Amino acid sequence: MKKIAVIGAGTMGNGIAHVFAQFEFQVNLIDTSATALEKALANIAKNLDRQINKGILSNEDKISILQKVTTFTSIELGVQEVDLIVEAATENSEIKKSIFQQMDQFAKPDCILASNTSSISITALANATQRPSKVIGMHFMNPVPIMKLVEIINGAATDNETTNNIVALTKAIQKIPCVVKDAPGFIANRILMPMINEAVYAFSAGISDAETIDTIMKLGMAHPMGPLQLADYIGLDVCKNILTIMHEGFNDAKYAPCPLLVEMVNAGKLGIKSGEGFYKY
Ligand SMILES: NC(=O)c1ccc[n+]([C@@H]2O[C@H](COP(=O)([O-])OP(=O)(O)OC[C@H]3O[C@@H](n4cnc5c(N)ncnc54)[C@H](O)[C@@H]3O)[C@@H](O)[C@H]2O)c1
């Protein structure tokens, strides 16, 4: 694989484009919003500067990495000639299905179509295409340039060649692949989100304050960040949406988002991105 397209230039998309360009791939970064593309390039440059300050990269590396990223506002133009597309657009089934239909229509027949979705069924996305054997989940963690894990999700029809290619590619960008089956929340969020939800329940019941809950989980369980701080970092709306998808997908009330989480999202308290969540920023 030499050429990769990334669809969606938000938090995850700019990080995914950054990492592929750093490992010598040509990257077409696609977003319907020109502003998002501008911000993404600025973010990549800022994060490359961080790597320069840490002595990981040189100024020349920065220039050559930025030159490898080309931006597009059209999926049709951006996906032609690429070997892999990683879709990292807004977490919404209808948006993603429509993007998968366009990817299928405009990409080469042998191009692999991957999604960075946190919770939407890979099998359902594959069913929106004529090539379900070439559709797979490639779930990067945030921040992408730093986090080592890529959770790789096989849909019901994903073939071995596709999985093997994506596992090899993940290793080539110096990340660690973990392959799982398709199920709501996969593994990472199926385990993480109920923990965050339980922390919100404990907070909402007044068992302790946010700092103490986070300190208990940090010092007691050796977690680098407490669950409420992590929820603020991920975005409370994102946490709520993933819990709702698991609640509906498993038809099990244990995954229903805590009422306080729903209330905070409705009040616009989304965590770091809105300036307030369980903490103020
Ligand atoms: N934020 C996280 O911590 C995190 C972690 C892992 C996975 N994810 C997943 O990654 C994906 C992206 O999340 P994010 O946090 O980067 O979202 P984001 O809101 O920061 O970015 C989404 C981008 O998609 C663009 N977009 C929307 N519809 C589009 C379309 N039809 N065509 C092209 N671009 C379109 C938007 O303009 C926006 O720039 C989601 O599926 C999310 O579940 C997020």
Side-chain angles (χ1 to χ4, degrees):
M1 287 189 195
K2 290 199 171 67
K3 257 193 130 171
I4 289 171
V6 178
I7 301 183
T11 312
M12 297 304 286
N14 84 71
I16 297 168
H18 171 148
V19 170
F20 278 119
Q22 188 179 337
F23 286 89
E24 304 290 330
F25 293 89
Q26 289 293 330
V27 180
N28 290 351
L29 182 58
I30 307 166
D31 202 294
T32 41
S33 153
T35 317
L37 288 168
E38 264 171 47
K39 273 195 200 158
L41 289 179
N43 260 325
I44 296 173
K46 192 178 74 191
N47 290 330
L48 287 168
D49 284 336
R50 285 202 181 129
Q51 289 172 303
I52 293 171
N53 291 338
K54 284 186 193 162
I56 300 169
L57 295 175
S58 67
N59 268 314
E60 292 70 39
D61 293 331
K62 177 183 170 186
I63 294 164
S64 110
I65 291 168
L66 286 173
Q67 278 171 348
K68 290 197 170 64
V69 182
T70 313
T71 57
F72 292 83
T73 48
S74 147
I75 292 183
E76 177 174 1
L77 297 179
V79 303
Q80 288 170 15
E81 306 304 323
V82 304
D83 308 303
L84 164 71
I85 308 171
V86 182
E87 172 278 315
T90 311
E91 185 78 346
N92 172 298
S93 281
E94 293 318 308
I95 292 177
K96 286 195 192 286
K97 278 183 194 160
S98 144
I99 293 175
F100 266 76
Q101 280 162 358
Q102 295 176 67
M103 285 155 66
D104 190 33
Q105 185 181 352
F106 298 118
K108 293 188 296 186
D110 60 346
C111 175
I112 295 178
L113 313 182
S115 177
N116 183 53
T117 177
S118 305
S119 54
I120 294 169
S121 162
I122 298 301
T123 305
L125 296 178
N127 286 343
T129 76
Q130 304 299 314
R131 59 178 100 184
S133 65
K134 297 207 168 297
V135 175
I136 193 161
M138 206 176 178
H139 184 205
F140 289 84
M141 304 291 134
N142 184 16
V144 182
I146 291 170
M147 298 293 277
K148 284 284 171 205
L149 175 71
V150 181
E151 191 178 29
I152 292 171
I153 304 106
N154 282 328
T158 311
D159 64 19
N160 285 340
E161 192 191 356
T162 301
T163 311
N164 293 342
N165 275 332
I166 294 301
V167 164
L169 178 74
T170 302
K171 290 179 182 165
I173 56 171
Q174 292 182 9
K175 304 245 179 247
I176 312 292
C178 286
V179 181
V180 305
K181 288 183 190 156
D182 192 16
F186 317 130
I187 291 292
N189 283 314
R190 182 174 183 164
I191 296 172
L192 173 65
M193 289 300 160
M195 181 186 74
I196 287 177
N197 209 29
E198 203 56 40
V200 183
Y201 270 112
F203 174 75
S204 121
I207 311 296
S208 197
D209 56 70
E211 286 87 353
T212 307
I213 292 171
D214 281 343
T215 303
I216 287 170
M217 296 306 285
K218 273 195 288 191
L219 301 186
M221 320 301 153
H223 291 187
M225 220 185 248
L228 299 175
Q229 190 189 359
L230 182 56
D232 275 1
Y233 185 81
I234 294 170
L236 303 194
D237 51 339
V238 175
C239 295
K240 184 198 131 206
N241 290 343
I242 296 173
L243 283 159
T244 302
I245 284 174
M246 292 200 291
H247 180 201
E248 289 167 0
F250 289 115
N251 192 20
D252 186 335
K254 81 175 175 183
Y255 297 106
C258 173
L260 177 64
L261 186 66
V262 178
E263 220 174 90
M264 289 175 77
V265 172
N266 290 342
K269 292 180 185 173
L270 307 180
I272 292 176
K273 62 184 162 191
S274 74
E276 188 178 347
F278 293 99
Y279 299 89
K280 286 206 163 90
Y281 301 91

